Amino acid sequence: MTKKLTRLYLNPVFKPVNESRKRYVIMKGSAGSGKSVNVANCFVLKLSDPKFKGANLLCVRKIDESNRDSTFAELKKAIYTIFGSKWEECWTVTNSPLRLVCKITGNTVIFRGMKDDKQREKVKSITADEGKITWIWVEEATELTEEDFDILDDRLRGRLDNPNLFYQIVATFNPVSATHWLKSKFFDVPSPDVLAHTSTFKDNLFIDAQYRRRMERRKERDPEGYRVYALGEWGLLGGQYFNNWRESQHVIKPFKIPDGWIHFRMADWGSYHPYAVLWGAVDYDGKLYIYRELYGYGGKPNVGTKESSRQVAKKNVDAEASDKKLIQYGVLDNACWNKQDPGAPSIAEEMNNVLLNNGCMPFNPSVKSREQVGEEIRLRLEGYTDKDGKQIPALYIFSTCYHLIRTLPDITHDKNMPEKYDTNGEDHAVDALGYGCMSRPYKPERPRKPDAYELDGWREDRKDKITSVWGM
């Protein structure tokens, strides 16, 4: 680079983001996490580097003018920070129309909106003076529709003459709603083309202590707002039903389940909507571990694969190839025993025929009550408090069970009957889990009070001397 830059300290939490060449870098985070500042600094550094000559950045907000106080302001600040008093030798800043041009490389930054069809058409035809639009920064990405995003995505195409260049969309936003298309498109199902990143104000090394205290105060007054704007978690407009869910507590790395534990299968049927089959094991203390899942994901949230009951049953058989002799029973939504045609077998009968013919345990009808199902899951999520005051969950989920982990925290209260959870959402894996929990009701462990003998040490003193109170 021909100009000397000011030494810049970047927050290490964003290192994976700054080094990524994946097409989609999707950054959700809390207010004050520093994600937008980081993106601006990183883009200015790259656009100023001759190695990336021919690159151009398109900054997008839903409302075009919103760029002035967000992306444009952040990029200008980054230029001033990086180049100091010499910034005018390195960059041209135009306020009307908004535009930034690097004098070192000729790379430019263009600002646009997606408010209506007219603005969308302008984005489709936008060109740079030199090179191509290689990078797009979408700030407050939740404002855009999925169609808006796809239009932007289509802009990044064609051969790039500079081998150092790559196409990339960076999206930054607060995760205000778990039903948003950004979650299902980029966070729910892993993809080699996507880097999904989460940051919070706690990760920001440059934030002041007063702001940290302000965010912590919000925990008491606005718990839901705290989850979204302080912890960077997905928000739920209807209120989270399983509000004692903690991914850090309940999701664990897979391990070899001991053969001696009770193994069983639980399932919820679906064809147009997804089916969900989970495999669980109960340890000697009654804790439940969900170690495998089979989910009829049709490529979009709450869309099934339209497979037949026999096809799904055959997938059950294949999934149990290594442990079918350990499965002690199965439990399936009791509605699957209903017959639409008196002369034809029910869904449950079709599935059980396939399972039995392949040496697998059949399904039994579930006990079905939304209130009870929800309560059993809650009890297991809560677990018990040990003698040291530590919370010990009674439900653990292997990190490989993507769809259960994805959908369980998104379940909301039913709007008309808040004691039940809303069945209009993607509740299939949760239903399957609930049927399994109902088959093994959980009683929270209570710390046992020592009796009089233990308090005075009598048992400890005598246990190695006396076989029983009768001297036998």
Side-chain angles (χ1 to χ4, degrees):
M1 192 170 290
T2 58
K3 300 294 179 183
K4 185 178 180 181
L5 276 63
T6 302
R7 187 173 179 83
L8 186 67
Y9 293 93
L10 297 174
N11 195 328
V13 74
F14 295 114
K15 185 177 180 182
V17 168
N18 298 339
E19 294 180 350
S20 177
R21 289 193 167 218
K22 293 187 177 184
R23 186 175 180 90
Y24 310 104
V25 175
I26 314 298
M27 303 172 64
K28 74 177 175 74
S30 74
S33 70
K35 56 189 180 297
S36 298
V37 173
N38 177 83
V39 170
N41 282 324
C42 191
F43 273 134
V44 168
L45 287 171
K46 289 177 179 176
L47 291 166
S48 304
D49 191 338
K51 182 174 73 173
F52 296 113
K53 185 174 176 60
N56 294 279
L57 171 65
L58 171 62
C59 293
V60 176
R61 288 286 303 267
K62 185 69 173 180
I63 307 300
D64 188 8
E65 191 58 26
S66 300
N67 280 302
R68 184 176 298 278
D69 297 322
S70 55
T71 56
F72 184 69
E74 290 288 3
L75 289 163
K76 278 200 307 180
K77 182 179 177 181
I79 290 170
Y80 300 156
T81 300
I82 294 169
F83 292 97
S85 60
K86 303 291 185 180
W87 73 266
E88 288 182 288
E89 298 178 26
C90 306
W91 281 83
T92 298
V93 176
T94 305
N95 288 286
S96 184
L98 300 181
R99 193 176 183 87
L100 302 171
V101 180
C102 180
K103 296 178 181 179
I104 301 168
T105 60
N107 295 339
T108 62
V109 184
I110 305 165
F111 301 85
R112 291 291 185 272
M114 301 284 285
K115 180 177 65 174
D116 50 34
D117 289 339
K118 184 178 180 180
Q119 290 191 347
R120 294 188 190 95
E121 288 302 317
K122 285 185 177 180
V123 167
K124 290 178 183 179
S125 59
I126 194 171
T127 57
D129 295 336
E130 296 181 30
K132 294 178 176 289
I133 302 293
T134 52
W135 303 323
I136 297 176
W137 177 14
V138 184
E139 172 72 323
E140 299 297 346
T142 50
E143 297 175 343
L144 271 62
T145 65
E146 188 171 4
E147 181 185 5
D148 292 336
F149 192 93
D150 290 341
I151 290 172
L152 296 173
D153 201 1
D154 288 340
R155 294 292 306 121
L156 304 184
R157 65 182 186 273
R159 179 184 172 187
L160 295 171
D161 296 328
N162 182 346
N164 293 315
L165 296 183
F166 54 95
Y167 290 121
Q168 187 174 83
I169 300 180
V170 177
T172 50
F173 61 97
N174 300 123
V176 292
S177 174
T179 61
H180 200 278
W181 62 267
L182 279 166
K183 182 176 184 295
S184 57
K185 193 179 185 79
F186 295 115
F187 285 82
D188 289 349
V189 182
S191 167
D193 295 321
V194 177
L195 172 61
H197 187 273
T198 300
S199 57
T200 77
F201 76 98
K202 297 179 182 180
D203 298 315
N204 192 342
L205 301 180
F206 311 108
I207 208 166
D208 61 273
Q210 189 179 60
Y211 186 85
R212 289 179 184 275
R213 292 194 298 271
R214 172 181 175 272
M215 293 298 276
E216 289 297 342
R217 283 198 301 272
R218 190 169 191 170
K219 185 190 302 185
E220 302 299 325
R221 300 183 64 85
D222 181 15
E224 179 64 14
Y226 181 80
R227 288 182 61 254
V228 175
Y229 294 106
L231 301 182
E233 297 179 7
W234 291 101
L236 292 171
L237 299 180
Q240 187 179 32
Y241 189 84
F242 299 108
N243 59 357
N244 54 354
W245 161 264
R246 299 291 182 271
E247 187 167 333
S248 59
Q249 286 185 328
H250 298 109
V251 178
I252 60 174
K253 291 181 179 179
F255 62 89
K256 174 66 172 67
I257 298 285
D259 291 353
W261 291 7
I262 297 173
H263 294 62
F264 67 104
R265 181 195 328 113
M266 59 210 91
D268 185 57
W269 170 249
S271 180
Y272 178 79
H273 293 302
Y275 58 81
V277 187
L278 304 173
W279 282 260
V282 178
D283 70 10
Y284 304 116
D285 295 322
K287 299 184 185 71
L288 173 60
Y289 295 78
I290 304 299
Y291 64 91
R292 182 192 298 144
E293 76 171 5
L294 175 64
Y295 197 78
Y297 189 69
K300 291 184 177 181
N302 218 17
V303 174
T305 55
K306 297 185 179 180
E307 294 172 85
S308 69
S309 55
R310 296 184 67 85
Q311 288 175 312
V312 175
K314 183 60 172 66
K315 286 188 174 181
N316 275 245
V317 172
D318 294 341
E320 291 179 9
S322 62
D323 64 351
K324 69 179 179 181
K325 294 187 181 301
L326 299 175
I327 306 299
Q328 297 188 18
Y329 67 93
V331 59
L332 173 68
D333 180 358
N334 58 18
C336 291
W337 273 262
N338 297 337
K339 292 187 178 183
Q340 301 298 321
D341 182 348
S346 66
I347 290 170
E349 290 170 333
E350 289 277 25
M351 295 184 76
N352 281 342
N353 285 337
V354 174
L355 293 170
L356 289 168
N357 289 338
N358 287 275
C360 295
M361 273 288 176
F363 281 112
N364 297 307
S366 69
V367 176
K368 193 169 183 178
S369 166
R370 293 287 177 185
E371 293 96 330
Q372 286 180 282
V373 165
E375 185 61 18
E376 282 297 329
I377 295 175
R378 274 204 188 106
L379 285 172
R380 284 195 170 274
L381 289 172
E382 189 69 22
Y384 66 93
T385 304
D386 68 10
K387 62 181 180 180
D388 298 319
K390 183 180 179 182
Q391 199 68 28
I392 308 296
L395 173 64
Y396 297 93
I397 303 170
F398 278 17
S399 58
T400 48
C401 299
Y402 298 116
H403 294 286
L404 177 57
I405 295 169
R406 172 176 69 86
T407 57
L408 190 148
D410 293 351
I411 299 298
T412 61
H413 292 270
D414 185 284
K415 295 178 179 61
N416 298 315
M417 302 183 70
E419 293 303 317
K420 298 181 179 181
Y421 56 84
D422 188 359
T423 60
N424 294 316
E426 195 172 354
D427 60 350
H428 318 290
V430 173
D431 280 348
L433 174 64
Y435 303 150
C437 288
M438 291 289 286
S439 75
R440 308 205 67 81
Y442 174 68
K443 292 183 179 180
E445 198 168 309
R446 302 180 188 279
R448 187 172 57 86
K449 294 181 179 179
D451 60 27
Y453 292 112
E454 291 175 309
L455 288 172
D456 67 12
W458 187 88
R459 288 185 176 175
E460 285 72 19
D461 291 341
R462 301 280 197 281
K463 66 183 178 182
D464 59 339
K465 300 176 183 177
I466 301 174
T467 306
S468 77
V469 294
W470 301 109
M472 298 171 60

